[in-house]
Amino acid sequence: MPREVRDAVVIGSGPGGLAGAVTLARAGLDVLVLEAQPTIGGGARTLDLGLAPGMRHDLCSAVHPLAIGSPFFRAFDLPARGVELAVPEIAYAQPFEQRDAGIAYQDLDRTAAELGADGPAWRSLLGPLVEQIDAVIALALGDHRTVPPEVLRPGGARAAAAFGAAVLEQGTRAWDRRFSDQVAPALLTGVAAHTISPLPSLAAAGTALLLGALAHGVGWVIPVGGSQAITDALTDDLRAHGGEIRTAEPVTTWRQLPRARAYLVDTTPRGLVDIWGERMAPGHRAWFERFRYGNAAAKVDFVLSGPVPWRDARVGRAATVHVGGSRAEMAAAENAVHAGRHADRPLTLVSDPTVADPSRGTGDLRPLWTYTHVPAGSDVDVTETVTGQIERFAPGFRDVVVASRCIPARRMPEHNANYVGGDIAGGAVTMWRMAAGPRAGWHVYDGGIPGVYLCSQSVPPGPGVHGMTGWFAARRALRDRFGITGAPELGPRG
């Protein structure tokens, strides 16, 4: 029986895979997406976990500043497609046990005013980035091989220099130099810990400064209805342009695949070797086999009978809360994980979506999304640890917990094969990897076989629901395999 023939096949329906598929389909190609899971979306899915009737939980990502910040999603224009993006007044909060919490408002001036003596330091660190947010986004989310045009515009080079200097400061032991109190550095460190890396580090600093600038520049967005709203918009557009998606079809070898002129692969580099290794250029294969995974996340989903009883009531207005105490406490916890130990008081990331999107509640119940960092491959149920950590800053939290469910790090790959050992970042988060990708070379998206391209978060610009990896990989495939040099229109009327 002859093999099926397509223009392009995309393996994996995470944000990178779907962004790549949309780009190819909008260029007029016949595109097929193959997804191993029974549902599409990878790290951007919202599912009923069976904890409360009708309640849906974000499986991985929950908060999406890049849904309106990244160049791909700006062009794709989610709001014009009916996706409602709620922007909380408070982007994130940092509670303390014995003092008022740190509050990061979308309003930079208000944030600085409430930071007291450290307000001017906060403004001088983040203000230049917020003023030139487009240049900062383009620099951080570029392919790291070309100079983005935004950087060449008036003020862009100055913003790029300010971003680089700030990364060097906050990514080294100089990170406390500008601050005199505990609140501002703790606020920034909570954002840095969205990576899974030792602290301080350049990669964590880059993440903190980008997300911190986005908090004041565009806000930390909560998609109404959950992360699935973003995935659904991408899949609707793909299908509207003739693309097809097949779920529950894991790919273990290239022999399963239809014939195609281009393949985009939304897996880790080692996952690509599992599929294509026998046909891969030896140098490429060696690089990909050496690709290093990082430490892990363990997730706990809760159902609550009411709001979290934060000691500082203002924290209850934040959809995102970083629970870990002072900068020193959080650094100690992250460095324990880096050393292969479970922290006694781990930094815990909390998303309370009902704060921004009341529709997420069902009756008197509401979901609470949390995860904490653990050593790679950990099989520990961290429910009690996470509960105790939140209770430190919200006495009485246990009393509002109706149900909970933990996904230990070791079980994360059951939901997404790219989360090896619980590594939700698609590889160790280092500045080298975020800039250079999984191998040395100029053509970073090439998979080592003509027509095969990596589009996962393992390639630049790295982790996040931003669509840029798929956008870059698809444009390279269009140029190399189909002679299409222009970028296809992504807007809803395209």
Side-chain angles (χ1 to χ4, degrees), residues 125 129 139-140 144 161-175 188-189 191-211 292 327 334-335 338 428-435 461 463:
L125 181 68
L129 310 184
L139 183 67
H144 302 154
F163 184 72
V167 168
L168 288 173
E169 175 194 303
Q170 290 300 310
T172 65
R173 289 298 174 186
W175 66 344
L188 198 61
T189 305
V191 184
H194 281 246
T195 63
I196 307 177
S197 71
L199 294 174
S201 72
L202 296 177
T207 298
L209 292 161
L210 173 63
L211 294 180
R292 185 165 62 91
R327 167 172 271 185
E334 292 298 282
N335 291 336
H338 184 65
V429 181
T430 65
M431 190 60 80
W432 165 261
R433 190 206 118 194
M434 292 173 74

Side-chain angles (χ1 to χ4, degrees), residues 341-352:
R341 306 190 306 272
H342 287 82
D344 294 332
R345 288 181 162 183
L347 187 140
T348 300
L349 280 77
V350 175
S351 173
D352 191 350

Side-chain angles (χ1 to χ4, degrees), residues 132-210:
Q132 292 286 338
I133 191 66
D134 289 348
V136 172
I137 291 171
L139 183 67
L141 297 186
D143 61 5
H144 302 154
R145 298 299 186 276
T146 56
V147 178
E150 292 85 350
V151 175
L152 301 176
R153 294 171 187 162
R158 187 166 58 253
F163 184 72
V167 168
L168 288 173
E169 175 194 303
Q170 290 300 310
T172 65
R173 289 298 174 186
W175 66 344
D176 281 329
R177 184 180 61 186
R178 72 171 59 228
F179 298 116
S180 59
D181 194 9
Q182 291 190 35
V183 178
L187 264 179
L188 198 61
T189 305
V191 184
H194 281 246
T195 63
I196 307 177
S197 71
L199 294 174
S201 72
L202 296 177
T207 298
L209 292 161
L210 173 63

